[in-house]
């Protein structure tokens, strides 16, 4: 028996006895119509398995990994006011499944890539030496997600940081450890996190900035929980730039209609909703239309990595893509490498930009 | 003959045939899946499954995507003599979606598409497995709403709304499912597909839509429905008052309704719920809060709001301004306190909804509260509100929390309280259920509700439509 109930008993009980008000906000249920993926059912499986009333099997493990775990349910949760969360127990249960050797093939393959290359994308990279910032400037941090999924946005970030003129430094890391943590590979996650923590400790003072909200969330929220406080500000690029708009270049008018997709880690994780919109408002001629769900309640665009069912991932990103294009927008803008990759994979004809890449293209 | 003998469980031949008409990934007899479907939101089933109890598990689960697939499954079930239980969101709280005799569970949530939207006639045709929250978002994006917002909108489906004759919190303006349904597409127990006409009214014999409204899957499977639509409201306002008694609140609502005003939301809380929900307002014990939310076209909203306020003032309440409405609008989907009681090993809670005419409404409330409290015992709590009103009367929503002395006694105390509640409601001329339906939990009171002749007629209808009793057996008291 593991310690799942001991550590997460209250949350597991709340969900297992729940009236399921988060069902419409559980994308994998909407995509599959499968009641076994409803949070109350998954929570109950975990309780019963922990009590020894249900066997830990591959089938049970697979259901644990279907959850996008991106906090959307929380927006609809009937015990939201009490700060209820499902991510902690789901991650702990995934870790238990991994410990028992029950990880689904796609999850195990993702972990194997991390072991082989240091990142979940399997990119074999030689990382450049860190560049120290000058004059207390920011340190642009990126991991393989930005380099593999949105290299143009990363290049644009460098240029915009030069524009605002604080003498930015740069730190390329293999992985911040968040994806591994979410998939239940705690050892891999912690190894990555310790590495990043040490690398940042070796750099002079100055805020960390990143265009990847998953990385920002890990550094700002998870590292302190893992006993690795950074003792420096961690900012998403949109937050950093919006405070320096007077230093930004003038953007060319773009007479287009765009919609902004709020990435989960940015809006729900970090509570950043206004900053990207404020930056887009600086592009004259650009009309921003809101989709049905936006901000903290924005629909999910799909998983980060290692998802056990590609067809379900595809259905989820298509549903979000369709919601975004139903606004009538001719372009979709988001601000996360994972979200951009997911929405692009929906392959629906409407171009998808990263926020920073879009701003750079409008200068 | 045992129930399982009367309906042999799914065998290999049946599974093969199901896979042939659907696809392997849309047929499951996996143990985990069966356990997940062994509950809906019937309190005793939630508690049972939380202990790993598999009493109500189906033998096999299927996920059809079209009406033809539903028909094929039903024909297979009929040929094997195996029960079929339609399953929507599983949010029903009377055990309607429980597989009491095993068999095939038909999860309809893959059938979730909008098929047509007629913006001139203001109707939408939608497959029955659409989840309410998702459907309303899709309609909202096009500027429409059905106006049906049950508290369970995020966990219930169109098919479940119809099967239980459900109602939403904005019902006084938008109506009950009985008013919202325009036409239905139904797969009958012999596999035929019946579609009623999408017309505003008809006199071609008895209304066949009505046969399936409230049938709880016992007469067929609703596969699609055409429902009334409304443009999204352009204006909304709300107001609340504290009356010196519950009866005064009832009288205020009656005057509003009889003056032909239709605020979308009308909620009258009894003194106990008033104190529990609005303690910060510093109200006197015994006072009852009444909330009105008015929405629609600005000129009508304005007129209704002014008139409602004027009518209310005639009964000298305290004007509570907008705080109550703001709070309710922000928290209207939460049933956290009921769930909390269910997590206690010996705890049980439920919300019982009955209805009666104006002349007997307040007295029915008083009598039910008294009888339910006596049945719940010293550790029990009973309170309630009225939240749906009509020309002739309204509903009573009686909530109870109770604790038994042992796990074994949970079911006893639960049914003792239900018995007290329903006998009192019916004894006062009221009904057994206003919108949750009958399912498994209330079946035993159906003969009293309908009377011998009425219940006998329902039994004969069931036998005629479903002679082999494969459609959701054991529900509606049948
Ligand atoms: C928190 C909470 C709040 C609630 N609030 C309300 C409320 O405000 N108003 C209200 O009316 N109810 C309310 N309910 C009760 C419940 O949500 C409704 O009864 C709802 O209509 C059930 O829909 P479902 O899709 O979940 O149906 P299920 O629970 O899946 O099924 C209910 C019944 O319908 C049958 N059925 C389902 N789909 C079909 C179909 N396509 N064809 C034929 N039969 C079918 C099932 O066999 C079963 O008998 C609430 C429940 C909860 C848990
Ligand atoms: S996340 Fe909240 S709403 Fe969802 S099952 Fe858990 S307690 Fe219920």
């Amino acid at each position: 028996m593991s310690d799942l109930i001991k550590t997460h008993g209250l949350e597991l009980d709340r969900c297992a006895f729940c009236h399921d008000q988060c069902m419409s906000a559980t994308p994998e249920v909407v995509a599959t119509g499968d009641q076994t993926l409803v949070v109350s059912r998954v929570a109950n499986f975990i309780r019963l398995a922990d009590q020894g009333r249900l066997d830990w099997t591959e089938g049970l493990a697979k259901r644990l990994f279907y959850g996008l775990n991106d906090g959307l349910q929380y927006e609809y949760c009937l015990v939201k006011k009490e700060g209820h969360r499902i991510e902690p127990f789901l991650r702990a249960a995934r870790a238990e499944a991994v410990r028992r050797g029950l990880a689904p093939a796609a999850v195990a393959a993702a972990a194997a890539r991390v072991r082989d290359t240091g990142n979940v994308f399997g990119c074999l990279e030689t990382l450049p030496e860190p560049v120290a910032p000058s004059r207390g400037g920011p340190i642009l941090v990126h991991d393989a997600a930005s380099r593999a999924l949105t290299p143009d946005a990363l290049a644009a970030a460098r240029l915009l940081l030069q524009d605002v003129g604080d003498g930015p430094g740069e730190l390329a890391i293999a992985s911040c450890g968040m994806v591994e943590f979410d998939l239940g590979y705690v050892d891999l996650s912690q190894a990555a996190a310790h590495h990043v923590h040490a690398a940042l400790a070796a750099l002079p003072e100055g805020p960390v900035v990143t265009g990847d909200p998953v990385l920002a969330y890990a550094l700002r929220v998870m590292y302190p929980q893992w006993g690795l406080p950074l003792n420096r500000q961690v900012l998403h690029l949109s937050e950093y730039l919006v405070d320096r708009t007077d230093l930004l270049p003038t953007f060319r008018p773009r007479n287009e209609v765009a919609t902004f997709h709020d990435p989960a880690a940015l809006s729900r994780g970090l509570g950043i909703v206004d900053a990207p919109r404020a930056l887009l408002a600086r592009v004259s001629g650009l009309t921003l239309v809101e989709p049905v769900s936006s901000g903290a309640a924005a629909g999910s665009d799909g998983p980060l990595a290692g998802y056990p069912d590609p067809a379900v991932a595809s259905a989820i990103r298509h549903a979000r893509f369709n919601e975004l294009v139903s606004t009538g927008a001719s372009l979709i803008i988001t601000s996360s490498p994972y979200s951009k990759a997911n929405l692009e994979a929906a392959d629906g004809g409407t171009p998808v930009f990263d926020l920073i890449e879009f701003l750079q293209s409008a200068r | 003959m045992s129930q399982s003998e009367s309906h042999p469980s799914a065998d290999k031949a049946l599974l093969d045939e199901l896979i042939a008409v659907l696809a392997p990934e849309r047929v499951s007899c996996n143990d985990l899946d069966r356990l997940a479907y062994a509950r809906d939101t019937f309190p005793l089933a939630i508690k049972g499954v939380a202990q790993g109890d598999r009493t109500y598990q189906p033998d096999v689960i299927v996920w059809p995507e079209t009406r033809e697939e539903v028909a094929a499954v039903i024909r297979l079930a009929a040929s094997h003599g195996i029960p079929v239980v339609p399953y929507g969101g599983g949010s029903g709280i009377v055990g309607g979606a429980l597989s009491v005799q095993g068999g095939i569970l038909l999860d309809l949530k893959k059938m979730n598409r909008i098929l047509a939207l007629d913006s001139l006639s203001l109707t939408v045709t939608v497959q029955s497995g659409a989840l309410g929250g998702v459907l309303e978002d899709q309609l909202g994006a096009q500027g429409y709403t059905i106006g049906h917002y049950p508290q369970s909108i995020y966990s219930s489906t169109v098919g479940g709304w119809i099967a239980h004759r459900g109602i939403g919190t904005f019902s006084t303006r938008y109506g009950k499912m009985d008013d919202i349904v325009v036409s239905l597409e139904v797969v009958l127990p012999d596999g035929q597909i019946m579609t009623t006409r999408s017309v505003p009214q008809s006199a071609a014999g008895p209304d066949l839509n009505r046969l399936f409204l409230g049938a709880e899957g016992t007469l067929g499977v609703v596969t699609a429905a055409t429902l009334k639509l409304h443009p999204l409201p352009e204006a909304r306002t709300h107001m609340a008052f504290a009356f010196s008694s519950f009866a005064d609140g009832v009288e205020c609502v009656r005057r509003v309704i009889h003056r032909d005003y239709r605020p979308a939301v009308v909620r009258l809380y009894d003194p106990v719920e008033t104190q529990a929900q609005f303690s910060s307002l510093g109200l006197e014990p015994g006072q009852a809060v009444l909330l009105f939310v008015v929405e629609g076209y600005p000129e009508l909203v304005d007129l209704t709001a002014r008139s409602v306020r004027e009518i209310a003032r005639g009964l000298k309440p305290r004007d509570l301004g907008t705080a109550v409405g703001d709070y309710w609008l922000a928290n209207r989907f939460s049933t956290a306190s009921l769930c909390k009681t269910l997590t206690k090993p010996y705890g049980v809670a439920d919300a019982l909804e009955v209805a009666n005419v104006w002349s007997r409404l307040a007295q029915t409330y008083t009598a039910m509260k008294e009888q339910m409290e006596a049945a719940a015992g010293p550790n029990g709590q009973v309170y309630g509100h009225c939240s749906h009103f009509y020309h002739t009367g309204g509903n009573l929503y009686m909530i109870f929390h109770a604790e038994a002395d042992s796990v074994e006694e949970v079911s006893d105390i639960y049914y003792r309280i239900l018995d007290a509640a329903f006998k009192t409601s019916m004894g006062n001329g009221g009904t057994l259920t206003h919108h949750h339906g009958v399912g498994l939990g209330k079946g035993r009171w159906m003969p009293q509700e309908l009377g011998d002749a009425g219940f006998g007629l329902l039994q004969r209808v069931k036998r005629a439509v479903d002679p082999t009793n494969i459609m959701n057996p054991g529900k509606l008291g049948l």
Side-chain angles (χ1 to χ4, degrees):
Chain A
M1 191 180 299
S2 70
D3 274 347
L4 284 166
I5 290 185
K6 216 184 278 172
T7 317
H8 303 284
L10 175 66
E11 288 76 16
L12 285 166
D13 272 2
R14 278 178 180 156
C15 287
F17 289 86
C18 182
H19 282 167
D20 296 328
Q21 263 98 333
C22 63
M23 196 188 297
S24 289
T26 305
E28 59 276 13
V29 174
V30 176
T32 59
D34 186 346
Q35 198 80 9
T36 73
L37 302 177
V38 169
V39 175
S40 65
R41 307 311 197 265
V42 175
N44 200 37
F45 291 154
I46 297 171
R47 287 171 70 254
L48 293 174
D50 201 50
Q51 291 166 347
R53 298 182 195 217
L54 208 59
D55 291 337
W56 282 93
T57 58
E58 284 181 7
L60 191 151
K62 192 166 178 188
R63 280 165 183 81
L64 301 177
F65 286 93
Y66 262 94
L68 292 190
N69 221 16
D70 67 1
L72 183 54
Q73 284 94 351
Y74 181 63
E75 293 305 312
Y76 297 80
C77 176
L78 53 87
V79 278
K80 176 179 176 174
K81 274 193 282 188
E82 293 168 43
H84 176 79
R85 309 288 323 189
I86 65 171
E87 300 91 274
F89 72 66
L90 203 50
R91 287 181 186 134
R94 288 174 177 184
E96 180 62 20
V98 165
R99 196 182 67 75
R100 291 170 180 265
L102 296 170
V107 176
R113 289 195 296 275
V114 176
R115 277 195 202 94
D116 292 347
T117 64
N119 65 77
V120 78
F121 305 96
C123 302
L124 276 169
E125 300 177 297
T126 308
L127 297 177
E129 285 301 311
V131 178
S134 56
R135 304 185 304 277
I139 306 164
L140 176 65
V141 180
H142 45 88
D143 73 6
S146 296
R147 297 188 297 275
L149 304 175
T150 47
D152 293 347
L154 183 56
R158 289 189 187 106
L159 292 173
L160 280 174
L161 284 175
Q162 295 288 351
D163 285 334
V164 296
D166 285 327
E170 192 165 330
L171 174 66
I173 58 174
S175 165
C176 65
M178 192 62 215
V179 173
E180 299 87 318
F181 190 67
D182 196 49
L183 291 180
Y185 287 86
V186 181
D187 53 341
L188 294 177
S189 156
Q190 296 312 290
H194 277 92
H195 188 78
V196 175
H197 188 257
L200 276 170
L203 287 171
E205 274 178 32
V208 161
V209 295
T210 173
D212 174 358
V214 173
L215 198 159
Y217 180 81
L219 297 184
R220 197 196 280 185
V221 180
M222 297 309 293
Y223 276 43
Q225 288 181 25
W226 294 339
L228 300 169
L230 296 178
N231 301 321
R232 62 171 90 217
Q233 251 192 324
V234 177
L235 299 166
H236 184 255
L237 257 172
S238 61
E239 272 177 308
Y240 184 79
L241 294 176
V242 85
D243 278 346
R244 291 163 178 74
T245 43
D246 47 334
L247 300 171
L248 284 171
T250 311
F251 298 114
R252 272 188 294 114
R254 296 275 303 249
N255 289 318
E256 280 175 281
V257 179
T259 189
F260 184 74
H261 165 69
D262 295 272
L266 190 67
S267 59
R268 290 191 276 282
L270 297 169
I272 301 170
V273 170
D274 296 335
R277 290 170 172 80
L279 289 172
L280 289 170
R282 297 189 56 81
V283 181
S284 63
L286 186 74
T287 307
L288 199 63
V289 286
E290 292 293 344
V292 174
S293 66
S294 65
S300 300
D301 56 66
L304 298 180
Y307 199 67
D309 193 327
V312 174
S314 166
I316 291 169
R317 61 180 173 251
H318 275 93
R320 181 60 180 162
F321 187 91
N322 290 340
E323 185 185 325
L324 292 166
V325 294
S326 73
T327 58
S330 58
L331 41 109
I332 296 168
I333 302 170
T334 187
S335 196
S336 155
Y338 300 95
S339 298
K340 183 179 181 220
N342 277 336
L343 293 172
E344 270 184 341
D347 203 13
T350 306
V352 184
F353 289 90
D354 185 276
L355 170 72
I356 306 300
E357 174 191 15
F358 178 78
L359 292 176
Q360 175 64 18
S361 74
R363 28 189 308 152
Chain B
M1 192 163 64
S2 77
Q3 287 176 339
S4 58
E5 280 169 322
S6 69
H7 286 298
S9 28
D11 57 17
K12 173 86 173 66
L14 174 69
L15 282 180
D16 289 345
E17 288 171 85
L18 286 170
I19 288 170
V21 296
L22 300 167
E25 68 278 10
R26 289 194 281 124
V27 178
S28 170
C29 54
N30 173 296
D31 258 7
L32 278 177
D33 292 349
R34 293 169 66 209
L35 180 63
Y37 283 93
R39 61 159 273 203
D40 51 11
T41 311
F42 183 47
L44 300 182
I46 294 182
K47 290 184 79 81
V49 167
Q51 301 305 315
D53 178 42
R54 291 173 174 270
T55 304
Y56 300 123
Q57 71 179 356
D59 295 309
V60 53
I61 301 129
V62 298
W63 291 270
E65 289 180 348
T66 63
R67 62 185 181 177
E68 287 75 18
E69 287 183 351
V70 173
V73 171
I74 301 270
R75 277 195 293 269
L76 276 178
S79 70
H80 287 258
I82 287 205
V84 178
V85 179
Y87 198 101
S91 74
I93 59 177
V94 291
L98 298 177
S99 301
V100 291
Q101 297 181 16
I104 302 172
L105 187 141
L106 202 64
D107 187 338
L108 292 145
K109 284 194 291 297
K110 269 189 182 296
M111 295 180 59
N112 59 5
R113 282 182 304 117
I114 292 179
L115 302 173
L117 192 153
D118 182 342
S119 58
L120 267 191
S121 315
L122 286 177
T123 61
V124 61
T125 304
V126 60
Q127 287 183 306
S128 63
L131 277 168
V134 179
L135 176 61
E136 271 296 325
D137 276 353
Q138 289 168 343
L139 293 172
Q142 300 180 61
Y144 299 103
T145 178
I146 297 167
H148 181 73
Y149 308 109
Q151 211 180 10
S152 55
I153 188 161
Y154 296 112
S155 57
S156 58
T157 63
V158 170
W161 299 344
I162 293 165
H164 276 325
R165 294 171 73 185
I167 198 163
T169 44
F170 285 58
S171 65
T172 309
R173 169 162 154 71
Y174 298 101
K176 201 167 183 272
M177 280 320 281
D178 308 52
D179 314 306
I180 294 171
V181 166
V182 178
S183 68
L184 295 178
E185 175 187 273
V186 184
V187 174
L188 301 173
D190 61 3
Q192 286 192 79
I193 299 172
M194 181 204 83
T195 311
T196 61
R197 284 183 189 279
S198 278
V199 288
Q201 280 297 348
S202 165
D207 184 349
L208 290 182
N209 290 329
R210 298 262 159 189
L211 192 57
F212 297 94
L213 273 155
E216 303 187 352
T218 60
L219 301 177
V221 182
V222 175
T223 45
T226 299
L227 308 175
K228 285 183 197 160
L229 277 185
H230 301 264
L232 286 174
E234 290 175 12
R236 176 187 282 175
T237 186
H238 53 82
M239 66 201 85
F241 307 92
F243 289 88
S244 55
S245 71
F246 187 70
D248 273 7
V250 171
E251 176 57 14
C252 174
V253 181
R254 188 193 65 75
R255 291 184 192 180
V256 166
I257 298 291
H258 281 172
R259 196 84 193 168
D260 286 345
Y261 292 110
R262 292 293 179 269
V265 178
V266 185
R267 294 178 77 82
L268 172 65
Y269 298 88
D270 78 354
V272 182
E273 200 173 354
T274 290
Q275 288 298 332
Q277 299 247 18
F278 310 112
S279 54
S280 62
L281 297 176
L283 299 172
E284 307 279 318
Q287 285 192 305
V289 163
L290 173 58
L291 165 70
F292 293 101
V293 181
V294 186
E295 69 173 34
Y297 292 106
E299 61 277 19
L300 279 177
V301 168
D302 190 48
L303 173 68
T304 307
R306 270 190 290 118
S307 307
V308 165
R309 201 177 288 281
E310 207 169 292
I311 292 169
R313 280 187 188 139
L315 287 143
K316 307 216 174 344
R318 178 173 143 199
D319 192 329
L320 299 174
T322 55
V324 169
D326 290 340
Y327 174 82
W328 181 77
L329 285 165
N331 294 284
R332 63 193 150 134
F333 297 118
S334 176
T335 49
S337 71
L338 291 176
C339 300
K340 206 170 187 173
T341 298
L342 293 181
T343 59
K344 297 182 187 167
Y346 309 158
V348 69
D350 205 347
L352 311 177
E353 24 59 66
V354 301
N356 215 329
V357 291
W358 291 112
S359 54
R360 297 193 293 265
L361 198 57
Q363 89 193 30
T364 307
Y365 162 76
T366 310
M368 281 184 76
K369 184 160 184 302
E370 206 176 282
Q371 294 303 316
M372 288 171 72
E373 275 171 347
N379 296 330
Q381 197 192 11
V382 179
Y383 53 91
H385 57 255
C386 299
S387 42
H388 309 285
F389 294 95
Y390 311 89
H391 189 70
T392 55
N395 91 310
L396 280 172
Y397 200 82
M398 303 298 291
I399 298 160
F400 72 85
H401 298 254
E403 266 196 77
D405 293 328
S406 65
V407 172
E408 295 71 35
E409 288 173 41
V410 168
S411 161
D412 295 346
I413 194 167
Y414 177 75
Y415 279 113
R416 213 164 47 234
I417 299 169
L418 262 60
D419 194 53
F422 299 145
K423 282 193 173 142
T424 311
S425 173
M426 290 188 282
N428 277 276
T431 180
L432 168 65
T433 169
H434 168 260
H435 61 267
H436 285 165
V438 178
L440 180 67
K442 300 182 191 169
R444 62 181 76 170
W445 293 279
M446 276 296 270
Q448 187 179 344
E449 166 79 14
L450 300 182
D452 289 345
F455 190 63
L457 176 63
L458 183 65
Q459 287 175 314
R460 290 204 297 281
V461 169
K462 166 73 174 170
R463 274 200 296 274
V465 178
D466 179 22
T468 51
N469 193 23
I470 58 163
M471 290 308 310
N472 206 4
K475 309 300 161 56
L476 289 178
L478 295 167

